[in-house]
């Protein structure tokens, strides 16, 4: 007896496809993948081309129903946004379905959608093209309209000098507080900041309170309302008032305030305005800091206008070594030296009239030097605190700063500052002079300079650090001490404080 062995090409454990007869592994449909793909299109109903909206102004993508989100290329956020735009028939897919997406630079993705047919799982690859369409978002549309704003901050200072505003401008640039503004408008006595939301304005007000001594009032006006949805549209206004004191102002404190500051004299000189008012007593070198709340509780004004500065020549100068301190006196400045000087006005050189005073500039003055100061003896002072003082305690002259040929310093200044982009009128001669005074203050005062970003001006050559008349001039290398060099947006080399 012979046994006949049946010849077959099938491997053990394989079956033939019921359509084409190709050996396949057993599956519930008993059909190969090629035949199953020819009969079933699992990508039916899934769009092969999807459009997404992109705002070129703010670089954001539109996420329905009404949100604009910031997404970088090849980021998870952009990938999730693209997947949400594909409306796949997930009801046909079981809970074990997996969606795998490969993102390429051309904004194409390969999507794998498995579908179960009689227990068999089919996987298909197809390409979905995303077309990026330009569409301006609502926020940018309102910005371009230029007349739309939800909140405005009106920053004012009742003074003739803009040194505090120049300093505040540099702080705003350093910390990027101008990025959310719709527009910045400069007027005669201040700046107006316009915002698209009240929250941005409130953040700016908090920043101002931390950087300069000020106070503010808030108000709002109803623009429109919807009684059906109970929604209201308001425009908010924040009125910020900065203390009316600038650097180099001579002030007269109230007796109560002077006593609370360590029994210092009422006549003081403002040497700096940052987050507080920094005062020095030219008779004793006693210093004090007055914050905004203290100032508004005991207000005081400047006695003289900056244009009232007069030029004096130093006839005699001597250093005061032993200074008598009263009980409870405050801190003494270590950066200044107390001196007793005899001065004469340069406009009265044909007379023999001289003035005696004490000054905090004893370390800078020598006989023959020129110095700027206020003549209080021949000035009509209209101040309630001065009128109540004993005339013997009011000095004849208060010296403010040494006088140099500042045009040479200006020509040799090899650094510069950035400015806010704002709507402004043409800068007159007085504004230009005040801005140059602020630049000189940065050169002379390290405490202010450390809070400001300075940038190298390549158009000015590097020259000697001493003027022809012996006036000290700080070089850029000295200004950049303890600073690090950075590159700004225009490719210039800039310097900013290390934080």
């Amino acid at each position: 007896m012979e046994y006949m062995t049946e010849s077959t090409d099938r491997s053990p454990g394989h079956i033939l496809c019921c359509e084409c007869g190709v050996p396949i592994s057993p599956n519930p449909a008993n059909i190969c993948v090629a035949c199953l793909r020819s009969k079933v299109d699992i990508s039916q109903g899934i769009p092969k081309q999807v459009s997404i909206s992109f705002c070129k102004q703010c670089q954001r993508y539109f996420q329905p129903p009404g949100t604009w989100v910031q997404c970088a290329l090849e980021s998870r956020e952009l990938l999730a946004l693209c997947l949400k735009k594909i409306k796949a028939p997930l009801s046909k897919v079981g809970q074990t379905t997996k969606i795998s997406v490969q993102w390429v630079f051309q904004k194409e993705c390969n999507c794998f959608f498995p579908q179960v047919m009689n227990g068999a799982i089919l996987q298909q690859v197809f390409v979905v093209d995303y077309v990026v369409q330009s569409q301006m978002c609502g926020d940018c549309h309102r910005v371009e309209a230029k007349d739309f704003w939800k909140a405005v901050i009106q920053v004012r200072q009742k003074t003739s000098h803009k040194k505090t505003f120049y300093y505040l401008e540099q702080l705003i640039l350093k910390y990027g507080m101008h990025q959310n503004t719709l527009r910045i408008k400069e007027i005669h006595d201040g700046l107006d900041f316009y915002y698209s939301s009240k929250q941005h304005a409130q953040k700016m007000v908090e920043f101002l309170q931390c950087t300069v001594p000020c106070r503010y009032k808030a108000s709002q006006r109803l623009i429109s309302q919807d009684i059906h949805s109970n929604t209201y549209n308001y425009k908010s206004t924040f009125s910020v008032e900065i203390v009316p004191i600038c650097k180099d102002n001579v002030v007269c404190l109230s007796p109560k305030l002077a006593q609370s500051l360590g029994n210092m004299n009422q006549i003081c000189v403002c040497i700096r305005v940052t987050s507080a008012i920094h005062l020095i007593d030219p008779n004793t070198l006693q210093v004090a800091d007055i914050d905004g709340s203290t100032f508004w509780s005991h207000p005081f004004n400047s006695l003289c206008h900056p244009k009232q500065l007069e030029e004096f020549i130093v006839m005699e100068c001597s250093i005061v070594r032993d200074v008598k301190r009263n009980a409870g006196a405050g801190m003494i400045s270590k950066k200044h030296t107390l001196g007793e000087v005899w001065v004469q006005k340069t406009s009265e050189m044909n007379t023999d009239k001289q003035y005696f005073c004490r000054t905090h500039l004893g370390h800078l003055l020598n006989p023959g030097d020129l110095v700027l100061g206020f003549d209080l003896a021949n000035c009509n002072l209209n101040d309630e605190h001065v009128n109540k003082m004993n005339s013997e305690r009011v000095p004849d002259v208060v010296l403010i700063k040494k006088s140099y040929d500042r045009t040479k310093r200006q020509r040799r200044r090899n650094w510069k500052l950035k400015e806010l982009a704002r709507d402004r009128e043409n800068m007159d001669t007085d504004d230009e002079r005040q801005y140059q005074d602020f630049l000189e203050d940065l050169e002379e005062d390290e405490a202010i300079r450390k809070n400001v970003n300075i940038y190298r001006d390549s158009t000015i050559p590097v020259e000697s650090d001493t003027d022809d008349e012996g006036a000290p001039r700080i070089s850029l290398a000295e200004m950049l001490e303890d600073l690090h060099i950075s590159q700004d947006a225009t490719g210039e080399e800039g310097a900013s404080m290390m934080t």
Side-chain angles (χ1 to χ4, degrees):
M1 180 180 295
E2 294 182 0
Y3 293 93
M4 303 295 296
T5 303
E6 182 180 2
S7 62
T8 176
D9 296 333
R10 300 194 309 269
S11 300
H14 283 67
I15 62 174
L16 297 178
C17 174
C18 62
E19 295 289 336
C20 62
V22 175
I24 60 173
S25 299
N27 60 69
N30 296 328
I31 189 172
C32 66
V33 176
C35 296
L36 187 59
R37 284 180 176 176
S38 63
K39 293 180 175 295
V40 179
D41 183 12
I42 64 172
S43 65
Q44 184 177 3
I46 301 177
K48 303 302 186 295
Q49 188 175 20
V50 181
S51 61
I52 56 177
S53 300
F54 177 73
C55 180
K56 294 182 178 180
Q57 277 73 14
C58 60
Q59 304 290 316
R60 293 187 300 175
Y61 293 88
F62 178 68
Q63 180 177 347
T67 308
W68 292 82
V69 294
Q70 194 98 21
C71 301
L73 292 178
E74 302 183 6
S75 63
R76 294 183 178 181
E77 293 79 8
L78 185 58
L79 182 61
L81 178 65
C82 293
L83 288 177
K84 291 179 181 180
K85 297 289 291 186
I86 300 178
K87 298 179 181 180
L90 298 180
S91 59
K92 300 180 181 179
V93 184
Q95 295 181 354
T96 59
T97 301
K98 296 181 180 180
I99 300 177
S100 177
V101 178
Q102 180 182 0
W103 179 260
V104 296
F105 184 74
Q106 294 80 6
K107 295 185 177 59
E108 297 179 356
C109 62
N110 296 328
C111 304
F112 303 88
F113 291 96
Q115 180 176 354
V116 180
M117 179 180 179
N118 296 329
I121 297 178
L122 178 63
Q123 182 173 279
Q124 183 176 349
V125 179
F126 65 95
V127 177
V128 178
D129 296 328
Y130 291 91
V131 180
V132 179
Q133 296 180 347
S134 298
Q135 179 182 348
M136 186 178 294
C137 65
D139 295 337
C140 294
H141 184 76
R142 288 187 286 269
V143 171
E144 292 297 325
K146 297 185 182 299
D147 293 330
F148 176 82
W149 53 272
K150 284 292 186 66
V152 59
I153 301 178
Q154 300 173 344
V155 185
R156 301 290 184 268
Q157 186 182 28
K158 298 178 182 179
T159 182
S160 59
H161 207 289
K162 298 182 179 180
K163 286 185 178 180
T164 306
F165 276 106
Y166 292 139
Y167 175 70
L168 179 61
E169 177 185 16
Q170 297 304 316
L171 293 180
I172 293 175
L173 287 170
K174 180 178 180 178
Y175 295 103
M177 299 302 298
H178 63 292
Q179 297 178 354
N180 295 324
T181 57
L182 300 178
R183 185 178 57 152
I184 303 176
K185 182 180 179 181
E186 180 179 357
I187 60 175
H188 176 66
D189 57 348
L191 295 171
D192 290 344
F193 298 87
Y194 295 88
Y195 294 89
S196 60
S197 66
K198 184 178 179 180
Q199 290 75 16
H200 292 159
Q202 290 174 335
K203 184 179 180 180
M204 182 64 172
V205 171
E206 294 175 357
F207 173 79
L208 294 176
Q209 290 181 304
C210 296
T211 53
V212 291
C214 62
R215 63 179 179 180
Y216 79 96
K217 294 181 180 179
S219 62
Q220 59 184 8
R221 178 165 58 96
L222 179 63
I223 303 301
S224 61
Q225 62 176 336
D226 187 355
I227 60 175
H228 301 287
S229 59
N230 197 24
T231 58
Y232 299 88
N233 182 20
Y234 290 98
K235 280 191 174 182
S236 302
T237 302
F238 297 88
S239 179
V240 180
E241 182 181 0
I242 303 177
V243 295
I245 305 298
C246 286
K247 185 179 182 297
D248 298 336
N249 284 163
V250 178
V251 300
C252 182
L253 307 179
S254 63
K256 184 177 181 180
L257 179 59
Q259 183 180 6
S260 65
L261 296 177
N263 294 323
M264 66 188 306
N265 292 324
Q266 293 181 243
I267 303 296
C268 299
V269 178
C270 178
I271 58 176
R272 190 182 307 113
V273 177
T274 54
S275 58
I277 304 174
H278 303 268
L279 301 178
I280 185 171
D281 183 1
N283 289 319
T284 60
L285 297 186
Q286 186 174 339
V287 293
D289 297 341
I290 301 177
D291 55 12
S293 59
T294 304
F295 175 84
W296 299 117
S297 300
H298 305 279
F300 53 86
N301 297 317
S302 175
L303 298 182
C304 300
H305 193 274
K307 293 183 179 180
Q308 294 177 312
L309 280 172
E310 298 188 56
E311 190 176 56
F312 296 85
I313 184 171
V314 179
M315 308 304 294
E316 296 182 12
C317 181
S318 60
I319 303 300
V320 180
R321 301 297 181 183
D322 298 329
V323 181
K324 296 182 179 180
R325 301 190 62 185
N326 299 327
M331 296 180 58
I332 299 297
S333 175
K334 298 182 180 179
K335 296 183 179 180
H336 301 83
T337 302
L338 185 62
E340 292 181 346
V341 296
W342 284 90
V343 295
Q344 185 176 4
K345 290 184 180 180
T346 55
S347 60
E348 299 178 354
M349 294 301 295
N350 55 350
T351 65
D352 57 353
K353 187 176 183 179
Q354 297 183 4
Y355 302 91
F356 174 80
C357 65
R358 279 192 170 188
T359 178
H360 60 289
L361 305 178
H363 59 297
L364 297 177
L365 300 182
N366 295 300
D369 290 344
L370 297 178
V371 62
L372 298 177
F374 293 108
D375 182 9
L376 301 184
N378 302 316
C379 181
N380 185 13
L381 298 177
N382 186 15
D383 186 85
E384 58 176 346
H385 302 311
V386 176
N387 296 335
K388 297 178 182 179
M389 286 182 61
N390 188 351
S391 60
E392 297 180 355
R393 299 184 61 86
V394 179
D396 294 336
V397 173
V398 178
L399 301 182
I400 301 300
K401 56 185 177 181
K402 194 173 180 179
S403 179
Y404 304 115
D405 185 3
R406 304 184 183 275
T407 57
K408 294 182 179 180
R409 299 180 66 181
Q410 180 179 349
R411 290 195 304 265
R412 298 179 180 181
R413 186 175 293 123
N414 58 352
W415 55 274
K416 60 183 179 179
L417 302 176
K418 288 186 176 181
E419 296 183 7
L420 285 174
R422 57 186 182 270
D423 299 337
R424 61 188 302 179
E425 299 178 355
N426 295 331
M427 180 181 293
D428 54 17
T429 306
D430 188 58
D431 291 342
E432 179 64 24
R433 180 186 59 81
Q434 293 181 12
Y435 185 71
Q436 295 300 327
D437 290 344
F438 172 70
L439 297 182
E440 293 174 2
D441 292 342
L442 290 181
E443 291 179 329
E444 299 169 359
D445 194 341
E446 182 182 359
I448 298 179
R449 188 170 64 247
K450 68 180 183 180
N451 297 327
V452 175
N453 289 346
I454 61 177
Y455 299 88
R456 179 177 288 110
D457 190 356
S458 58
T459 60
I460 306 299
V462 179
E463 298 185 12
S464 174
D465 292 343
T466 304
D467 290 339
D468 297 340
E469 298 184 358
R473 171 183 172 271
I474 187 170
S475 64
L476 182 64
E478 295 172 348
M479 294 185 68
L480 298 183
E481 186 178 359
D482 297 333
L483 305 179
H484 69 276
I485 302 298
S486 62
Q487 295 286 337
D488 61 3
T490 60
E492 304 173 310
E493 288 187 352
S496 60
M497 286 300 300
M498 297 181 64
T499 56

